[in-house]
Amino acid sequence: MAAFLLVTIAHHRQLYTRGLIDFEDEEDEVEVAEGVEQPLGQADSGRYSTRERILAADCKAEFRFSGQHLKQLLSVLQMPRRIKTKHRDNVCSLKALCLCLYCLSYPARLDRMAEEFKMSKSAISRVITDVLRRVTMSWDRLLHWDHHRLTSSKLEQLAEICAVENGYLCTRVFGFIDGTTHRICRPSRFQRSMYNGHKHEHCVKYQGVVTPDGIIIHIGDSFEGNTHDHEIYRRSGLEDVLRVNAKDTHGENLALFGDAAYQTSGHMLKAIGGVDLAAADVQFNKAMNAQRTSAEHAFGKMTDSFNTDPPTLEQYFNNNIHQVYIAAE
């Protein structure tokens, strides 16, 4: 999940206009202190250096970004010139970002990454963890609620876009809410609470809000796999945020649109239930449900762009898998 957070940051802060980092100043080698495991030797038969990999034609396939955009992301994320871990690994920020994106974009064993990037497995693991920590700590607030961008005028603009697309059948909806599951291996404990009967798999659940411009404006904390979507909505605190902020320029309430799992309220709408519905109600349900699929498509794009292998429950609790999922957003 890093593409959506990275692109969201760019959209929110409009930082793509900032100067690019001088590519020639970036170094490829990894410096570690004495006593810390050293990277693999530089004499490698056919592997590219980081600089060569970014300039290669398949850069986007490996990192999900072009070489130019990788350099822009360093500026957008306000990364330091070098990443220094608590174990005193010292890596240029470009290489650290490439390691993280490479790991997220496709299933890759550390053995292969060590050969590809000419670093030790332990150093790669530490650097990736540090990058994920920096991204989530610095920018995950944008995936809770961005008060600077999501103003009343902006929400009103988003609601107008939704209204145009649904033929003005509903003028209050500015975004679409949906839950998503992240599959995990069957745990040795807490199997019942982590099992999702709808998906028939063990998982953790997240909830996201997508606006018509394709940006995920909210991702909440993770919950057990058997947690109901509306319960996640209630416990996430999003309802309180909407009560304060989801208003147009005239002070009228704006709302999200969800599936049948959610309860209708002042800031939540869903399809009209019943059997013998009027033609207008059927038309409303058809138009709004078609728009609601945008939320599912947004999560699907994330899954297509960035691999998230299913961890065990022990790995989930011990290795901060939640950070990986949020950073990949």
Side-chain angles (χ1 to χ4, degrees):
M1 282 182 156
F4 283 100
L5 180 56
L6 303 180
V7 175
T8 297
I9 295 167
H11 276 290
H12 288 186
R13 301 302 181 204
Q14 297 181 350
L15 292 177
Y16 276 130
T17 58
R18 299 176 61 174
L20 301 183
I21 292 179
D22 186 359
F23 195 35
E24 296 302 323
D25 289 341
E26 298 293 344
E27 301 175 12
D28 286 331
E29 49 280 353
V30 181
E31 301 170 1
V32 291
E34 184 177 358
V36 180
E37 187 173 357
Q38 297 292 322
L40 296 180
Q42 299 298 314
D44 189 73
S45 57
R47 301 302 178 186
Y48 296 121
S49 67
T50 305
R51 182 178 289 106
E52 290 170 334
R53 296 174 74 90
I54 290 176
L55 294 176
D58 60 350
C59 173
K60 192 169 184 178
E62 288 194 343
F63 305 118
R64 299 299 188 258
F65 293 95
S66 66
Q68 181 183 9
H69 287 165
L70 283 173
K71 293 182 287 182
Q72 288 177 328
L73 286 175
L74 291 176
S75 178
V76 169
L77 293 173
Q78 301 178 13
M79 299 278 282
R81 291 189 63 82
R82 303 194 69 83
I83 300 297
K84 300 179 180 179
T85 70
K86 64 180 181 180
H87 291 86
R88 296 158 66 187
D89 303 294
N90 190 339
V91 190
C92 74
S93 57
L94 179 61
K95 187 167 189 175
L97 180 62
C98 287
L99 284 169
C100 186
L101 293 177
Y102 187 90
C103 179
L104 290 172
S105 64
Y106 191 78
R109 295 183 179 273
L110 285 176
D111 290 335
R112 179 181 176 183
M113 293 186 66
E115 181 182 359
E116 293 278 354
F117 289 92
K118 306 172 186 177
M119 292 176 58
S120 68
K121 293 184 292 184
S122 57
I124 290 174
S125 179
R126 291 192 295 264
V127 169
I128 291 175
T129 300
D130 189 82
V131 172
L132 291 174
R133 180 185 59 83
R134 289 174 184 270
V135 172
T136 54
M137 290 183 62
S138 299
W139 300 106
D140 67 346
R141 66 182 185 276
L142 297 183
L143 292 179
H144 182 67
W145 189 268
D146 187 357
H147 295 274
H148 296 284
R149 192 181 78 93
L150 299 176
T151 61
S152 295
S153 59
K154 179 63 176 180
L155 295 180
E156 193 175 77
Q157 178 186 357
L158 294 172
E160 175 66 18
I161 295 174
C162 289
V164 171
E165 292 182 353
N166 63 47
Y168 287 92
L169 296 174
C170 181
T171 59
R172 293 179 51 207
V173 172
F174 71 92
F176 302 89
I177 186 171
D178 194 21
T180 183
T181 60
H182 177 52
R183 184 167 57 93
I184 63 174
C185 298
R186 185 177 66 179
S188 57
R189 54 197 178 99
F190 306 129
Q191 290 189 17
R192 187 180 297 274
S193 63
M194 304 307 292
Y195 185 77
N196 184 283
H198 176 67
K199 296 286 187 177
H200 301 291
E201 63 185 16
H202 294 89
C203 61
V204 290
K205 294 187 70 174
Y206 295 84
Q207 182 175 258
V209 176
V210 181
T211 49
D213 52 10
I215 296 179
I216 297 177
I217 63 171
H218 174 82
I219 286 287
D221 293 331
S222 57
F223 290 84
E224 296 86 351
N226 67 351
T227 309
H228 194 273
D229 284 353
H230 188 77
E231 179 67 10
I232 295 177
Y233 169 69
R234 187 186 65 82
R235 290 165 57 184
S236 67
L238 179 59
E239 186 175 17
D240 297 330
V241 173
L242 295 175
R243 189 178 296 113
V244 175
N245 299 285
K247 300 179 183 296
D248 61 17
T249 54
H250 303 289
E252 298 294 329
N253 287 342
L254 297 176
L256 300 175
F257 190 88
D259 58 23
Y262 297 94
Q263 298 178 10
T264 303
S265 64
H267 295 284
M268 179 67 68
L269 299 178
K270 64 179 182 179
I272 301 172
V275 179
D276 297 324
L277 296 178
D281 293 339
V282 173
Q283 186 179 6
F284 172 84
N285 288 349
K286 183 178 180 180
M288 296 307 296
N289 284 327
Q291 286 187 301
R292 184 179 59 82
T293 57
S294 63
E296 299 177 359
H297 290 164
F299 288 119
K301 289 179 182 177
M302 176 200 65
T303 304
D304 292 341
S305 296
F306 289 93
N307 170 71
T308 48
D309 290 330
T312 64
L313 184 62
E314 287 75 12
Q315 289 175 328
Y316 176 79
F317 285 126
N318 296 333
N319 296 335
N320 297 322
I321 299 299
H322 172 71
Q323 287 189 358
V324 177
Y325 194 84
I326 294 300
E329 286 288 345

